[in-house]
Amino acid sequence: GAVVSQHPSRVICKSGTSVKIECRSLDFQATTMFWYRQFPKKSLMLMATSNEGSKATYEQGVEKDKFLINHASLTLSTLTVTSAHPEDSSFYICSARTPGTYEQYFGPGTRLTVT
Amino acid sequence: AQSVTQLGSHVSVSEGALVLLRCNYSSSVPPYLFWYVQYPNQGLQLLLKYTTGATLVKGINGFEAEFKKSETSFHLTKPSAHMSDAAEYFCAVSSAGGTSYGKLTFGQGTILTVHP
């Protein structure tokens, strides 16, 4: 149980285009999902907390207009990187929290490369 | 505010040897503590967690960790390393209250290498 999927697993896009990454909880309803960014050989940095039906809460220093987060249902959250630039290249990981617990289940990650 | 420090970005052991990965935390409220493992180009898998109760917690794959409040530590151990344990390990802290409610703060990660 508690499986989280991400799509796509890997994406290459050109500078200036937008990319959407999906995060789905497959066998449970997640009222809260989290989006992380992981730089090479670095730890995970929390970007934002996504709550179903409300606006995402962004961490300090994360541009909300560049990283658009939508949590339209209890099983789906999306992260859209708008007007992507090479410095946005990174490994993006989402997680979902099971209701009533503090445990987060992580997706397999999405490798974004902006050329 | 909460933070996590993992001592040693790289740890190398021989197969069959003891594994010890160190983690110290800082939290203004009672912490919830987690260890995750990450294999290359994959997401994170939960190894074990401490929330309340017994301070020695056992996880998957033979790992265990002990919460020591006086030392603000949550070190991860495994009596005998296996080749398949080679991966990166992250310690994380969360809390039931305060401004960091429900959020995970990760340490820098420790890469474990296991030699034959």
Side-chain angles (χ1 to χ4, degrees):
Chain A
V3 178
V4 177
S5 70
Q6 276 184 247
H7 178 79
S9 59
R10 185 179 295 268
V11 58
I12 301 173
C13 70
K14 292 186 177 182
S15 186
T17 62
S18 295
V19 174
K20 180 184 285 188
I21 302 170
E22 293 184 347
C23 177
R24 294 182 184 273
S25 57
L26 298 185
D27 51 4
F28 66 100
Q29 293 183 330
T31 53
T32 304
M33 291 183 171
F34 302 86
W35 286 96
Y36 296 85
R37 183 173 178 176
Q38 186 176 30
F39 293 95
K41 300 182 179 181
K42 296 286 187 181
S43 186
L44 281 77
M45 180 191 76
L46 179 64
M47 299 175 65
T49 302
S50 169
N51 292 297
E52 187 267 337
S54 64
K55 291 184 178 180
T57 302
Y58 291 81
E59 295 299 300
Q60 191 172 12
V62 177
E63 299 177 62
K64 62 180 181 181
D65 294 331
K66 180 167 188 61
F67 298 101
L68 300 179
I69 292 173
N70 183 274
H71 193 158
S73 77
L74 287 172
T75 59
L76 173 65
S77 177
T78 60
L79 167 67
T80 301
V81 183
T82 62
S83 186
H85 291 282
E87 56 266 30
D88 298 325
S89 298
S90 193
F91 195 52
Y92 292 88
I93 304 176
C94 73
S95 71
R97 189 169 66 200
T98 54
T101 74
Y102 298 96
E103 191 167 325
Q104 294 181 27
Y105 294 90
F106 286 80
T110 297
R111 174 75 60 191
L112 171 63
T113 303
V114 184
T115 61
Chain B
Q2 54 192 27
S3 65
V4 176
T5 301
Q6 290 180 238
L7 297 176
S9 58
H10 289 80
V11 170
S12 181
V13 300
S14 298
E15 189 174 19
L18 171 72
V19 175
L20 171 61
L21 304 183
R22 300 178 185 273
C23 172
N24 288 88
Y25 70 91
S26 172
S27 178
S28 57
V29 296
Y32 291 168
L33 295 159
F34 306 82
W35 275 100
Y36 287 89
V37 60
Q38 184 181 34
Y39 296 96
N41 294 311
Q42 294 186 26
L44 276 67
Q45 181 183 10
L46 180 67
L47 280 177
L48 48 78
K49 63 181 177 183
Y50 167 80
T51 53
T52 58
T55 56
L56 180 64
V57 292
K58 297 184 183 298
I60 62 173
N61 302 338
F63 285 94
E64 62 181 38
E66 186 171 11
F67 169 59
K68 292 187 176 180
K69 183 178 179 180
S70 61
E71 299 178 8
T72 61
S73 69
F74 191 57
H75 302 329
L76 181 70
T77 61
K78 182 174 180 177
S80 178
H82 192 272
M83 297 295 290
S84 61
D85 295 327
E88 187 161 18
Y89 292 79
F90 291 95
C91 180
V93 63
S94 181
S95 63
T99 57
S100 300
Y101 170 78
K103 296 182 181 179
L104 282 174
T105 299
F106 287 89
Q108 307 91 311
T110 298
I111 296 174
L112 175 66
T113 302
V114 182
H115 296 289

